[in-house]
Amino acid sequence: MAFLRSLAGPVRRVYVYGTGTYRRHRGSPCFAGFASSSGAGEGGEVEKQKERTTNSLKRYDLHATGAGGTTTTTVRGHTIRTDLPKKMGGKDEHPQPVEYLLAALVGCEQATAAFVARQMKPRMLLKGMTFEYVGVRDDRGATSLPLDAPAPVPARLVSVKGTATVHLVEGTETLERIDELRRITEARCPVANTLSAGGVELDIRWVTSANL
């Protein structure tokens, strides 16, 4: 059951329902109009926002099996297989999980950039993109021994660096517009957003093929 708790300080209200907690900060447009300024009708507005949020949530279901360093995952009828290099005990028949993570970043940025380009004013005529990325992590975070001792470094990726080249259908775009495409894409891309929130440095240079 939804409930509302008022707080003092920079956070005006905290709305808690289901599995989510939403904070509205003074001056922030987020959740504007979420609740009325008076007590009347607040419960109804909270329920409406709860319904809107629930309807916008996307769910990703998968089934996977694994043995040793390999896995087979089924997603919506598609099959994804992972493996490890032979020097890590695998057969090297499929990409590593971290390589799939980088591929997911590329796929997500391409799809998000296509959406952003269509919505830009004026519309950017994006034909496609090419990506040259390098991900780096410190292997001690995953493999250091003994297991009961803290790892000397985090196991996560440290950084992803590289170049994203924007290809246009025709014409040219200003550097300011390309940077706008980059900025909004990185903010809206779920995979990029997840990596950034996890402490991964994304150092990607966006250019156009016309400027190469």
Side-chain angles (χ1 to χ4, degrees):
M1 180 166 180
F3 65 92
L4 168 67
R5 180 163 61 93
S6 296
L7 294 178
V11 178
R12 295 182 64 181
R13 294 185 174 91
V14 176
Y15 305 96
V16 183
Y17 51 80
T19 59
T21 301
Y22 301 89
R23 294 176 172 82
R24 180 183 177 190
H25 296 261
R26 288 194 177 98
S28 170
C30 298
F31 296 97
F34 190 81
S36 61
S37 58
S38 64
E42 285 192 348
E45 289 299 320
V46 169
E47 289 301 323
K48 289 179 181 179
Q49 181 61 34
K50 176 181 177 181
E51 181 179 354
R52 287 193 291 267
T53 301
T54 301
N55 292 339
S56 68
L57 293 179
K58 296 193 69 172
R59 172 174 167 169
Y60 304 89
D61 297 290
L62 61 81
H63 172 76
T65 59
T70 65
T71 66
T72 300
T73 302
T74 303
V75 182
R76 298 184 297 104
H78 305 289
T79 300
I80 303 170
R81 292 183 172 88
T82 67
D83 201 352
L84 296 175
K86 292 181 178 180
K87 65 180 181 180
M88 297 175 62
K91 298 180 180 180
D92 202 16
E93 295 178 344
H94 308 287
Q96 301 178 74
V98 174
E99 291 167 336
Y100 272 117
L101 179 59
L102 293 176
L105 172 62
V106 166
C108 189
E109 287 188 330
Q110 168 62 53
T112 305
F115 167 79
V116 173
R118 289 195 302 269
Q119 303 302 319
M120 292 176 68
K121 306 297 182 184
R123 177 175 179 172
M124 181 179 290
L125 299 179
L126 179 65
K127 181 178 181 180
M129 299 180 65
T130 54
F131 304 84
E132 297 291 339
Y133 285 5
V134 175
V136 176
R137 71 179 180 88
D138 190 326
D139 196 44
R140 294 176 298 164
T143 61
S144 65
L145 297 173
L147 293 178
D148 58 356
V153 293
R156 66 173 179 264
L157 282 171
V158 175
S159 65
V160 177
K161 299 183 179 182
T163 302
T165 303
V166 175
H167 303 281
L168 303 171
V169 175
E170 61 183 18
T172 60
E173 288 284 357
T174 65
L175 294 178
E176 289 76 15
R177 288 257 295 171
I178 295 299
D179 189 63
E180 180 183 3
L181 177 67
R182 174 201 63 78
R183 178 177 52 81
I184 299 176
T185 296
E186 289 183 348
R188 297 289 188 106
C189 171
V191 177
N193 194 264
T194 300
L195 290 173
S196 295
V200 180
E201 176 192 4
L202 298 181
D203 183 10
I204 310 299
R205 186 171 67 99
W206 285 50
V207 299
T208 63
S209 54
N211 294 332
L212 294 178

